[in-house]
Structures are given as structure tokens and as C-alpha cells.
Amino acid sequence: MLADTWYLFNKYVKISMRMPLWSLFSLIQPLIWLFIFGSLFEYFADLPGFPAETYIDYFVPGVLIMTVLFGSSWAGVSLLREISAGTVDKMLVSPASRSAIVLSRVLHSAVQVVIQASIVLVAAWMMGATTSYNPIYILLAMSVILLLGIAFAALSNGLAIMLQREEPLVIMGNLMTMPLMFFSSAMVPEKFMPEWIHAIGIVNPIEYAVTAVRSILAAEPDLNGFATGFGVTFLFSAATLYWAISAFKTYRD
Amino acid sequence: MISIKNLNKTYASGALAVNQLSLNVSAGEILALLGPNGAGKSSTIRVLTTLSGFDEGEVTVAGFNVDSEQEKVRQSIGYVAQETGVDYFLTGRENLTLQGHLYRMTKKDITSRIDELANYFELTDVLDNLVSNYSGGMRRKLDIATALIHRPKTLFLDEPTLGLDTPSRQSLWQYIRKLNDEFSLTILLTTHYLEEADKLANRVAIIHKGQIKIIDKPEKLKDEIRGDVVSLQFSKPENKNQIAEALGRNDFVKDQKWEQDKLHLYVSNGATSIPRLIESCSELNCNVENVSYSRPTLDDVFIQYTGSSIDASESDSENKWWEKWAGKGGGGKWAQKWQEDQPDESTTDSQWTTEEAEQWHKNKQWSKDETAQWQDNKQWSKEESAAWHEDQNQDQNENQNQNTSNPPEQANSKTNSWPENNEWKENSNQQWDNSDNKKWPDGSDK
């Protein structure tokens, strides 16, 4: 299974390398948000009780998570393309491990969003954001991003198998990402949220990922906060991955 | 090599795909499943290749049960799907290598096998080009090569030449036959091209509505019909039974089959029986529009066993994605109404009355594609096109912008009366009047 995953992962990497422009395009959105929200909410930081020096400092973890959401939530679309192109059938008639087919796709999307998130982080630094520069902490933050990327890519791939059609898949993608993001503290500190939104945050996996990244990238990293967030994100991605693989295994008409 | 006993398969949508199908393919044989789209060919092949589950039946491939020994079946077969299964963004070599890895071959083995296959399919020169730059025929060859990388003994080809032009199709047939000759590969292919089944297969199985109607060598199937086939096209026959009975009284008529308004008669000698058949028809006061007779083809065999021509029974009933969603979310009623309001597109030309056809033409807005397709379908005689042309030139001289001429009507076809709206005329101006260098549909120069 691992060997199959590796060969298929390589295939997807090769394909992305041959269309680097597309990876670049999906970077544009988080960069624009970094810029727009960074400027729009600049004076938030003047409010009493705002938890960071400047708004952009606060927003960086949020925009990193947004990069993940927008980079991997539509990963299933290309699975549908592959199904209709016949390449999935080609894999399925071979003895290749079924889990490897899902795993390689999901890993590929997750690695892609880690690279994108790294670029966004550098861009944020260039716009004057300050975070922890400790390479270990940055790596830990990226590990959360990898896990969340796996989770959303797995969700999207699993939904693709269930829905079998692009249009509803894209609708579901939108439905998943947008509200989850606004129901988290990605852009607005918890303190400023209405009570009910805060309550929803408790069951929002994105909230935990944002907290984990924010805790570890803070000037004074909060390792406990990170550990909780990391743990929940890990469980979330394991569960979604399991679900996607079993959805794929039952994919047989 | 392949054995199917009483296979039943129903899709989740409730559509019955395969109905009590039994079939044996012996080692080293090419067997063609011949049938229109939706007959159950692909469903059968998907069961055999472990891609689909099934409800009932006993299916073994290469001695392994497709249900309980999937891994072993997969290891011993090659499968080429209707859609090209090769990745467009990889090179030919990368596609082959990946496939080799998935079949757990060693690196060394993969390299040598790729050389072998590239040589065989004459792909060596393009092996390191991206597949997106390949022609349709090359892609199909690469697809077959990837299916053969692990040296399977059985090969499944689902519509192997679908969408290919005639030269590529014929060249592919040669490769397929060679594979069978030289490596005694067992090949099960599906097709809805009669010619393909006729030329390629050792045996042909005619499949219709999920069942095998007859299975035999193509020559034998055609021999069984013996004699000629006379087809009489009637205009709106009201008394089909009466016609059939009256014509059947002629002792030279061995069998007959209605296909919509067309009656196919299997007779011992076409040339001598036509006058007598026409006579019988005029006694009955029914109007024969068109008569044709031919030596039997596989299509006649097909009509004999299924009651319809292979082209007429085309239906895309399999796996319509929207059926799953139709009626959910409140759209059902609306969709139904819309469907009722649609003109019935399946109506074939031959069923139209002259008035209907004229009416239709008046109402229809012709798109460019349609005009082009019409052009392709129409058989122009030289005289017709010359006459039309003369008209056209005159008109052009008289008035550059106002084109009022019509091309000549073809004698017995109602579909080519010309639409009378300006949009179409614009098309005709663009495509024909101004194209001095264009060949005419009959191949003649202007």
C-alpha cells in the first residue's frame, strides 16, 4: 500500500509540476485576503482588549488556515475528472491498493497547501507581520496545516464519491468552508464574538486548527494550547481520511 | 478462459443491465459482444474486470472467481475502457511505468517490457512526449499497451475503436488481430460497429436488453439468413399485420420483420421477388416509398434476433447522473412538465409526414453545426449540385445580399426541404457562396 501510495503520489506531483500556474492561482485568493482584511481591519487592533499588537499579527494564523480551506476543499473535483477520464478505472482494475488511491490524492493536496501556506507566511512577513521565527515552531504550525489539508481533501474526495457530480460537490465545498471559517476566530478574536458563535466554535474543527497555529506562532508560544489544537486536528483528519477511504472502497456500481 | 453463468445485474437506479446472461469464451479466441449502447455490454465487461458488483450468477475469469478472488483476477487480465485510461499530463513512458509499478513489476522488467510494447505498437518515437500531444489512435494504442504491461493472458476491450477515424480504426484492428495470432491472447471486446465485429471476431454474441440472443461465427450468422434482404419502406402503414400476412403468402418469403415503418423481408432471390412484392402491395393499396435489397449483413442478423436495427436501438439508458437527483428538491414536477413540452426528438425522419416535416423546418432555427451535419448527410448528385449552383450564381449576380434560391429537392427524402429563415441563409452564404475553394459535398469542384 505504501509503495502504491508513493507511485501515485509521484504521479500527482508530476502533474502539478507541469501546471505550476494553477498552484499559483490558488495562492492569489489568500494573498488578496491577507492584503484586504489586513488593511480593512487594521484599526481593530486599537480596540481595548485586542489580543495582538497589530491586526495583521493576529490575522496571520487565520489566513494560513484559509489557505488550507481554499486549497484543499475542492480536491474531489479532480477525482471526478479522473473518474470520467477513465484513469480511476485503470487503477481499479490493477491490483493497486484502494486505500493508496485515496491516500495519494489526499497527501498530494495536503503537501500542496503546505507549500502555499509557506508562501503566504513569507508574504505576511514582508507585509510587516511578526510571528515566532523559530523554525521548529514554524514546522509544528505547518504540521497542523498538513493535517487540516488532509482532512479537507479527504472530505472533498469522499463527497466526490458520494455525490458523483461536480456541481453539488462545489456547493458542498462552499458550504463547508465559508461558515466554518466565520464561525472560528480566524479573523475576529473570541472576545468580540457573540456568545452563540463562540459556542459553535467548540465543535468547529477549524477553530482548533486556528488556535493551534496561533498558539505556536505567538511571540510567546503556548505549547499547551498547541497540543490541544493539534490533537483535535489530528483526530479530525484521521476520521475524515478513514471515512473517505471506506467511501472509496464501496465505490462499485 | 471466461465463463459466465446466469449473470444478473441491476443498477441501484433499478435499471436492469444484465439479465440471466451466460457466456463462455475459450482460450485464444476473440469474441465480440455486439449490441447498441445500453444493451448491457459494458456492464458485463465491468463485472468481468471486477469493476462492478453483480446480483446473481457465477463468473470466473482465468479460473478465478471474480467475486471472491478479485486480486487474482486483476493480476491476470488487461482492461481497456471506453474512455482512454491514460493520463494526459504524463508521457507515454510515465504512463507505462506507473502501470508497471501498480502491477508490482520490478524496475528492470518494466524497462524491458516498455521497449517491447513500444516497439510492437510503433510508439518508440513518441514515448517521451506528453500524451496530450498524441493523436486519438496513438492514445488508444498506448492504452492497450498499458493494459498489456504485466503480460496478461486475457484482454478486455470496451469499444476499442470508438471515436476513431477509419484509417486508425483499421490499423488498430490489425494490432488486435496480431495480438491474438502471435501471443494467443484471449480477447473479449464490445462494439456497436457491425463491421468491427464482422472483421475482428472469431465469434459474435448479439446482446440485446441484457441478454445474449445468439452467439456464433459471423459467417454462420449471415449464412443462416440465406438469400437476400428486401426492405420496403411504407408511408404510414395502418394495417401492418395485413401487409405482413399478404406478403408472407408468397412462397419465396422466408421471414419478415417490421422495423418501424420498414418491412424487412428475407427472400431467396431479391431481384426477382421485388416486382412481385410491389404488386402485392399495390393490391393492398398501400404506398411503398422506397425499396432496397442487399446481401445479408450482420445488421440483418441483428434485426432478425432483436427486431430492430442496431442504429435504431441506440439508447443511453445507463447511469444518467441526474436520475439520481431528479424529483428531489422540488424540481421533479417542473422537469416532468418540461419533458412533456419537448418535441419528441427520437422521432426518426422516416416517420414524418411531408406536412410535419415542412412545419418542422419552418419552425426550426438552424445552428451552424446542424447545417454542417446536414451537408454531410445529404448525398448530392452532380446534377443537383450543378443546377443549384447555377441558380446560386445567378442570384448572386442579381443581388449580392438577398439569396432566394433553394437547392433542388431530393426525390424521396423529406428531410432536406430547405428551411426558410434568414439565419440559415446567412449560414449558407458564409459556408458556400463565398468559399471558392471549397469542395462540394459530392466531391466536385465548384
Side-chain angles (χ1 to χ4, degrees):
Chain A
M1 180 184 95
L2 289 180
D4 288 347
T5 309
W6 174 244
Y7 293 127
L8 289 171
F9 176 73
N10 264 323
K11 164 185 138 171
Y12 293 120
V13 171
K14 259 184 214 150
I15 292 175
S16 319
M17 302 279 272
R18 281 176 192 158
M19 327 187 261
L21 265 183
W22 284 113
S23 310
L24 218 69
F25 269 123
S26 51
L27 260 180
I28 292 176
Q29 202 173 16
L31 285 179
I32 288 178
W33 285 11
L34 182 65
F35 180 73
I36 293 179
F37 286 129
S39 325
L40 192 63
F41 298 143
E42 201 183 332
Y43 301 112
F44 261 34
D46 299 341
L47 291 170
F50 194 82
E53 287 275 312
T54 61
Y55 181 74
I56 199 161
D57 282 359
Y58 178 81
F59 184 49
V60 167
V63 83
L64 291 181
I65 297 300
M66 279 158 76
T67 312
V68 179
L69 293 185
F70 288 98
S72 62
S73 292
W74 286 273
V77 174
S78 76
L79 175 62
L80 290 179
R81 185 191 63 80
E82 273 209 286
I83 288 176
S84 61
T87 43
V88 169
D89 276 353
K90 195 107 190 165
M91 291 185 244
L92 289 177
V93 285
S94 81
S97 146
R98 266 102 255 263
S99 314
I101 298 173
V102 181
L103 214 55
S104 60
R105 294 185 51 83
V106 167
L107 269 181
H108 166 252
S109 311
V111 168
Q112 207 169 4
V113 293
V114 168
I115 295 169
Q116 289 171 353
S118 312
I119 297 173
V120 171
L121 182 60
V122 173
W125 285 339
M126 293 192 320
M127 286 169 70
T130 50
T131 64
S132 160
Y133 299 107
N134 185 332
I136 295 171
Y137 292 158
I138 290 174
L139 267 180
L140 285 174
M142 288 303 162
S143 70
V144 175
I145 282 163
L146 183 79
L147 286 174
L148 196 69
I150 288 174
F152 276 85
L155 272 178
S156 180
N157 275 287
L159 280 173
I161 290 294
M162 275 179 62
L163 301 169
Q164 293 280 319
R165 193 69 198 170
E166 266 175 51
E167 292 88 337
L169 179 63
V170 171
I171 295 171
M172 288 301 287
N174 275 324
L175 207 64
M176 270 185 335
T177 50
M178 277 301 207
L180 286 186
M181 204 179 66
F182 287 110
F183 284 140
S184 77
S185 58
M187 285 181 287
V188 182
E190 277 169 43
K191 265 187 205 166
F192 298 172
M193 283 179 190
E195 202 45 44
W196 64 274
I197 290 189
H198 189 206
I200 290 174
I202 294 171
V203 291
N204 183 355
I206 292 180
E207 172 63 25
Y208 290 92
V210 173
T211 314
V213 175
R214 186 161 286 145
S215 316
I216 200 74
L217 286 186
E220 288 156 32
D222 164 17
L223 287 177
N224 281 334
F226 171 78
T228 321
F230 181 90
V232 173
T233 314
F234 181 83
L235 289 178
F236 178 57
S237 67
T240 50
L241 194 57
Y242 177 79
W243 173 74
I245 289 175
S246 39
F248 195 77
K249 278 184 175 166
T250 55
Y251 166 64
R252 213 173 169 229
D253 47 25
Chain B
M1 209 55 163
I2 301 167
S3 135
I4 309 175
K5 263 185 221 149
N6 304 326
L7 176 67
N8 265 339
K9 172 158 179 63
T10 312
Y11 281 109
S13 60
L16 184 69
V18 182
N19 184 6
Q20 288 292 323
L21 185 143
S22 295
L23 178 70
N24 275 303
V25 185
S26 29
E29 151 173 72
I30 303 185
L31 186 128
L33 282 177
L34 175 69
N37 291 338
K41 294 171 296 176
S42 295
S43 307
T44 309
I45 237 174
R46 288 178 68 84
V47 167
L48 290 168
T49 50
T50 75
L51 284 172
S52 277
F54 53 97
D55 305 324
E56 270 175 82
E58 208 168 294
V59 188
T60 60
V61 172
F64 302 113
N65 187 306
V66 293
D67 201 30
S68 55
E69 296 168 298
Q70 294 185 9
E71 286 286 309
K72 284 177 181 160
V73 171
R74 285 179 193 137
Q75 198 56 261
S76 42
I77 60 166
Y79 168 65
V80 182
Q82 252 174 56
E83 309 86 14
T84 24
V86 287
D87 227 296
Y88 280 40
F89 298 103
L90 299 180
T91 66
R93 188 187 300 280
E94 285 164 346
N95 266 297
L96 286 160
T97 312
L98 175 67
Q99 205 65 18
H101 283 310
L102 294 183
Y103 279 95
R104 321 254 145 84
M105 292 164 71
T106 62
K107 259 192 186 151
K108 218 178 119 194
D109 195 18
I110 293 174
T111 322
S112 69
R113 183 68 177 153
I114 288 178
D115 288 342
E116 220 172 285
L117 287 167
N119 238 328
Y120 184 86
F121 286 103
E122 295 169 83
L123 289 170
T124 314
D125 295 341
V126 294
L127 207 53
D128 291 307
N129 296 356
L130 283 187
V131 173
S132 45
N133 300 326
Y134 282 27
S135 70
M138 277 151 69
R139 225 172 279 147
R140 209 52 71 91
K141 286 198 286 183
L142 178 67
D143 206 2
I144 299 179
T146 53
L148 293 174
I149 190 108
H150 57 297
R151 304 183 184 83
K153 278 281 158 206
T154 311
L155 182 63
F156 293 92
L157 302 171
D158 197 356
E159 301 274 6
T161 63
L162 191 71
L164 293 185
D165 54 18
T166 317
S168 327
R169 175 172 299 162
Q170 280 164 352
S171 120
L172 205 62
W173 287 344
Q174 274 172 12
Y175 284 109
I176 295 173
R177 204 166 310 117
K178 235 170 83 186
L179 281 172
N180 175 257
D181 283 348
E182 291 177 17
F183 309 105
S184 54
L185 208 62
T186 309
I187 298 174
L188 176 65
L189 64 94
T190 72
T191 183
H192 65 276
Y193 296 121
L194 298 153
E195 198 191 354
E196 188 160 287
D198 201 357
K199 293 211 168 138
L200 208 51
N202 302 121
R203 285 196 302 156
V204 174
I206 290 182
I207 182 167
H208 187 62
K209 295 188 175 158
Q211 278 181 322
I212 289 188
K213 296 290 175 184
I214 179 89
I215 176 165
D216 214 329
K217 294 185 175 128
E219 304 78 46
K220 267 204 159 165
L221 288 174
K222 284 184 282 184
D223 278 353
E224 262 178 33
I225 289 191
R226 261 174 287 152
D228 298 333
V229 185
V230 175
S231 304
L232 301 175
Q233 170 79 53
F234 293 93
S235 64
K236 290 204 286 184
E238 280 154 19
N239 42 352
K240 285 189 179 180
N241 289 336
Q242 214 184 325
I243 296 174
E245 199 194 331
L247 296 183
R249 260 181 249 133
N250 292 307
D251 53 1
F252 55 83
V253 175
K254 287 186 295 189
D255 200 0
Q256 43 182 327
K257 275 265 146 68
W258 277 103
E259 184 199 346
Q260 286 159 359
D261 289 350
K262 209 176 205 174
L263 182 63
H264 301 276
L265 295 147
Y266 302 90
V267 298
S268 35
N269 187 329
T272 57
S273 50
I274 288 179
R276 292 166 67 187
L277 289 170
I278 301 283
E279 210 179 288
S280 308
C281 288
S282 52
E283 277 167 18
L284 283 171
N285 253 342
C286 52
N287 191 9
V288 180
E289 279 202 327
N290 193 328
V291 183
S292 63
Y293 96 94
S294 58
R295 305 284 308 148
T297 62
L298 267 185
D299 199 24
D300 296 309
V301 180
F302 194 84
I303 292 167
Q304 174 97 339
Y305 286 99
T306 66
S308 62
S309 159
I310 192 159
D311 296 325
S313 42
E314 294 282 312
S315 73
D316 271 319
S317 62
E318 273 177 61
N319 281 337
K320 281 184 186 162
W321 69 270
W322 63 85
E323 279 177 1
K324 192 172 159 191
W325 300 103
K328 293 176 191 167
K333 272 187 193 160
W334 180 85
Q336 207 175 3
K337 187 171 181 322
W338 183 78
Q339 217 156 30
E340 280 166 10
D341 291 346
Q342 291 306 298
D344 186 2
E345 301 236 349
S346 66
T347 324
T348 54
D349 298 332
S350 56
Q351 290 173 314
W352 286 43
T353 63
T354 321
E355 297 86 285
E356 274 174 340
E358 271 168 12
Q359 192 60 40
W360 181 82
H361 275 295
K362 256 180 216 160
N363 295 336
K364 183 156 166 61
Q365 308 276 313
W366 287 55
S367 74
K368 273 197 184 177
D369 284 354
E370 281 173 325
T371 318
Q373 209 182 350
W374 183 86
Q375 246 180 307
D376 284 347
N377 291 336
K378 180 159 158 62
Q379 304 283 317
W380 290 58
S381 74
K382 284 211 173 163
E383 292 85 306
E384 276 179 334
S385 69
W388 183 77
H389 229 334
E390 229 164 67
D391 267 9
Q392 198 73 3
N393 283 339
Q394 254 174 9
D395 282 342
Q396 245 182 345
N397 294 339
E398 284 165 12
N399 190 341
Q400 276 286 342
N401 297 324
Q402 218 174 20
N403 178 356
T404 51
S405 80
N406 280 339
E409 296 279 338
Q410 207 178 329
N412 52 18
S413 169
K414 290 166 189 156
T415 48
N416 51 17
S417 56
W418 287 56
E420 301 175 355
N421 65 48
N422 292 321
E423 262 176 60
W424 180 84
K425 278 172 191 156
E426 271 166 34
N427 271 337
S428 77
N429 275 329
Q430 274 167 21
Q431 294 194 349
W432 294 341
D433 298 0
N434 306 331
S435 57
D436 286 330
N437 302 324
K438 257 203 172 152
K439 290 262 184 188
W440 284 86
D442 64 344
S444 67
D445 283 311
K446 194 172 176 180

